[in-house]
Amino acid sequence: MLYYYHFQGDPKRQPPGLNVRAKDGSSLLVHTPPEGIGPWFSGTRVSWHRSQLEEIGKVGADSALVVWRPSRDSQVWSVPGLAAMVQALKELRSLRREYPLISAYIDLNLPEDQKLDLNTEAGKALLYTFIQEFFQLVPPDLRFRVPLPNTPPQDAAAVVVLGNANTANGRANGLTADIKRKFLQEFGHPLVVAGTQEWVERGAELDAVVPLDAKNASETGTAGLFTTAVVSPNSPQAAENASGFKPRNAGRSMIERWNSLYKSPPDWVIINSWNGYHDGTEVAPSRQHGDREQNLVMAALAALNREGDFGARLLSLEAPKYMRPRTVNRVQMRIRNTGTRTWIRGGAALRYIWRKNGQPIDASGQLAVQRDVQPRRTETLSIGVAAVNRTAEPLPEGEYELAFELVPSPGANPIPLASLPVQVKSEGMDEGAYLAGSSTPCIMGSGKTYSSELRIRNGSAQSWPKGLWYVAYRWAKNGTPIGGEADVSKIPALVDLEPGGVAAVEASVAASGSDGHPLPPSALNQNTAYTLLWDVITPDGKRL
């Protein structure tokens, strides 16, 4: 679902009036949000994002396709706005509310002096930088990821959509392969690169074609790994009105479009848009149309995904590829109820089954769902997977499949969720350390100290006794670490962490340098932004 945040209704924030009010005070919006226009209507406010994103989650959308403006003159709002968005998602997750995961739409309507020249290596590198800067600000556990053919589910890919290529010069042959290679090397998991039809015409090899148009998007893309369809509340057949936008025909156009998709559902449905109040494409509630389109989308997504009384779909997964015999390894899943019946607390359960050569072996376990999960709602489950058989003997070393299924109700047929390839071995297992989640605030006051909980997976073959391993952080400015080894803050981890396990570590983070002086506030109009770099220091002094 296309998600905009280039709005600034707060006159005290920069740039005042962005896409909301003209200099004479008149509204720039085609449609008006139900709450009206005021300081609260601001893409740099955490509270605004929190309400928007929770509603997207309740509608049943899996991902917010965030419109990212990488131009230099947009950084004054795009960077703090994305930080506010991530903070809102962390808060929703902490409160166990509904929320979507994040994918990126790179808006390439750049100023004339910043246009991409794909004929040069510098131009190609700049396009990757646009993608890199976005994902550096979005933690791995909040990224929307899709499984790839013939690839382990643990290696699902993040998603980026390249916007209109008409503002770029040159051909795009080989461009996406280079972007994917760099992304995998830097972020540790694959990237799916989608884009508009113009990129195909320039020679780009896209994984999906997304035929987005700001005013009218009711098209289908069939090239690449994933088929797509774009749905808009506006009628594709009607003539534009005096304002240059197409009417909605009281919702009939959207109903007809959804009905056409039920016959042959695509892999992706992109809704244009959630909150495009500036161009009249929003399906979010407005004073002009009420909540009609929001309810239509909610019903349509439920019908598109409905699987009878009981159904489930895996939205995200965090799991190891290697396990040591006789260890308990934490696997976390986020699952959506796609059926019509509620999963009852204590009655529904997540189950795992070990398989060897496609056949179940005498090794399994399960976790009861701890709260009722209504249709269209999601639940995050963290289950400990033991690399032992039913008599607590260690699994022999070798290659296995770890199958997960949801039992929605006692006596109901289990619903398959995922089958993961896992290698059980005692030696040579070293995935290092993995940050499975963090509550670190995305917006900090200069010189202030904040509490943070880090969820860290031990992917090594060694045990980490409490007090003998550390988490360490240091600040980076514009991607470059500040200072040297003396500027690293070390925090002892007061918890034992076995191989494959996940532990919560409490840490205090100060927005200050090692000398205690507050970090200067970000000056985005001068291209100044901070990131926090985390490491694990093992008992033998190895930095991961």
Side-chain angles (χ1 to χ4, degrees):
M1 186 174 290
L2 207 63
Y3 181 76
Y4 293 98
Y5 68 102
H6 61 342
F7 302 114
Q8 190 54 274
D10 189 341
K12 296 181 180 180
R13 300 192 179 201
Q14 295 297 319
L18 177 69
N19 293 317
V20 176
R21 291 196 183 278
K23 291 183 179 180
D24 62 3
S26 61
S27 174
L28 296 175
L29 302 180
V30 175
H31 297 144
T32 306
E35 66 275 13
I37 302 172
W40 53 86
F41 188 63
S42 167
T44 58
R45 282 185 179 269
V46 174
S47 57
W48 182 81
H49 283 289
R50 192 168 55 237
S51 62
Q52 297 286 309
L53 294 166
E54 184 175 8
E55 289 303 309
I56 291 177
K58 288 180 178 178
V59 163
D62 297 337
S63 173
L65 182 58
V66 177
V67 179
W68 172 246
R69 295 277 174 86
S71 58
R72 290 190 297 270
D73 55 347
S74 297
Q75 288 185 331
V76 68
W77 61 265
S78 64
V79 173
L82 185 55
M85 187 189 311
V86 170
Q87 180 63 30
L89 288 167
K90 288 186 175 185
E91 292 179 7
L92 289 170
R93 180 178 60 190
S94 175
L95 294 169
R96 301 184 74 179
R97 303 280 183 83
E98 296 298 316
Y99 63 91
L101 297 171
I102 297 299
S103 48
Y105 177 87
I106 310 299
D107 186 346
L108 294 172
N109 289 312
L110 302 172
E112 190 67 32
D113 62 341
Q114 298 178 40
K115 286 187 176 180
L116 293 172
D117 186 356
L118 301 178
N119 293 315
T120 67
E121 292 302 316
K124 296 175 183 178
L126 183 59
L127 178 57
Y128 177 74
T129 299
F130 294 161
I131 299 169
Q132 175 192 48
E133 290 174 342
F134 179 89
F135 284 101
Q136 283 178 340
L137 294 172
V138 178
D141 53 317
L142 294 177
R143 297 172 193 160
F144 177 65
R145 294 171 63 180
V146 295
L148 297 173
N150 305 315
T151 302
Q154 299 99 312
D155 291 331
V159 176
V160 65
V161 178
L162 302 179
N164 196 331
N166 289 337
T167 59
N169 297 319
R171 299 287 296 172
N173 303 75
L175 179 66
T176 57
D178 187 53
I179 289 173
K180 292 179 183 181
R181 178 185 58 79
K182 291 179 178 178
F183 189 92
L184 179 61
Q185 182 177 6
E186 178 173 356
F187 293 97
H189 60 77
L191 179 70
V192 160
V193 181
T196 56
Q197 180 62 33
E198 294 89 356
W199 285 100
V200 176
E201 295 168 0
R202 288 176 181 262
E205 297 178 353
L206 299 177
D207 296 308
V209 176
V210 180
L212 274 169
D213 178 88
K215 297 179 183 178
N216 166 34
S218 290
E219 302 292 342
T220 301
T222 57
L225 293 175
F226 304 96
T227 57
T228 67
V230 181
V231 177
S232 168
N234 302 331
S235 170
Q237 289 82 25
E240 294 181 356
N241 59 24
S243 300
F245 300 95
K246 297 190 175 184
R248 300 191 174 197
N249 294 337
R252 291 189 296 273
S253 299
M254 178 173 271
I255 293 172
E256 292 172 1
R257 177 60 173 157
W258 281 111
N259 286 339
S260 71
L261 297 181
Y262 298 144
K263 302 172 186 176
S264 181
D267 298 314
W268 300 351
V269 177
I270 298 95
I271 298 167
N272 182 18
S273 64
W274 168 252
N275 57 354
Y277 293 105
H278 62 293
D279 63 8
T281 62
E282 83 292 334
V283 299
S286 68
R287 290 184 176 179
Q288 287 78 8
H289 300 287
D291 58 2
R292 181 185 63 207
E293 276 75 23
Q294 181 183 21
N295 291 333
L296 283 175
V297 170
M298 186 184 302
L301 289 176
L304 193 67
N305 297 318
R306 186 168 295 147
E307 301 178 24
D309 288 347
F310 292 117
R313 185 170 75 254
L314 180 65
L315 299 181
S316 65
L317 167 72
E318 194 269 304
K321 297 179 184 177
Y322 306 97
M323 297 185 187
R324 291 182 67 189
R326 195 177 276 171
T327 59
V328 177
N329 302 264
R330 189 62 52 181
V331 174
Q332 182 166 291
M333 294 183 166
R334 188 162 180 247
I335 307 167
R336 185 181 298 281
N337 181 351
T338 57
T340 59
R341 292 180 57 180
T342 298
W343 304 340
I344 303 299
R345 172 186 176 184
L350 176 65
R351 176 192 297 169
Y352 70 85
I353 302 169
W354 285 99
R355 291 176 178 165
K356 182 74 172 176
N357 299 323
Q359 299 299 317
I361 62 176
D362 192 21
S364 63
Q366 71 176 36
L367 172 72
V369 174
Q370 296 301 307
R371 64 172 181 170
D372 293 351
V373 182
Q374 297 177 347
R376 299 191 309 275
R377 297 297 186 252
T378 61
E379 179 69 338
T380 299
L381 298 171
S382 181
I383 185 171
V385 175
V388 298
N389 61 22
R390 197 174 297 277
T391 60
E393 294 296 321
L395 290 181
E397 295 191 18
E399 295 182 355
Y400 294 83
E401 292 178 14
L402 187 57
F404 287 89
E405 56 190 26
L406 184 87
V407 182
S409 179
N413 292 328
I415 303 167
L417 292 173
S419 182
L420 316 181
V422 174
Q423 191 168 0
V424 176
K425 59 180 183 177
S426 300
E427 303 295 335
M429 182 190 75
D430 195 355
E431 292 183 284
Y434 177 78
L435 183 62
S438 165
S439 65
T440 307
C442 299
I443 302 172
M444 298 185 181
S446 176
K448 294 186 177 181
T449 300
Y450 298 84
S451 296
S452 175
E453 181 183 272
L454 309 175
R455 291 181 58 251
I456 297 173
R457 176 185 295 280
N458 180 357
S460 75
Q462 306 300 320
S463 299
W464 299 345
K466 63 181 178 182
L468 298 182
W469 64 285
Y470 301 82
V471 293
Y473 74 87
R474 61 173 161 170
W475 290 95
K477 182 178 179 181
N478 298 333
T480 302
I482 298 174
E485 189 64 29
D487 296 281
V488 176
S489 298
K490 294 172 56 177
I491 303 162
L494 303 179
V495 60
D496 293 327
L497 187 53
E498 296 299 319
V502 176
V505 178
E506 296 292 334
S508 293
V509 180
S512 306
S514 59
D515 56 3
H517 287 88
L519 293 175
S522 299
L524 295 168
N525 57 340
Q526 299 176 15
N527 193 28
T528 302
Y530 294 100
T531 51
L532 199 56
L533 307 178
W534 288 100
D535 290 321
V536 165
I537 301 175
T538 63
D540 58 2
K542 185 177 180 181
R543 185 184 297 275
L544 303 176

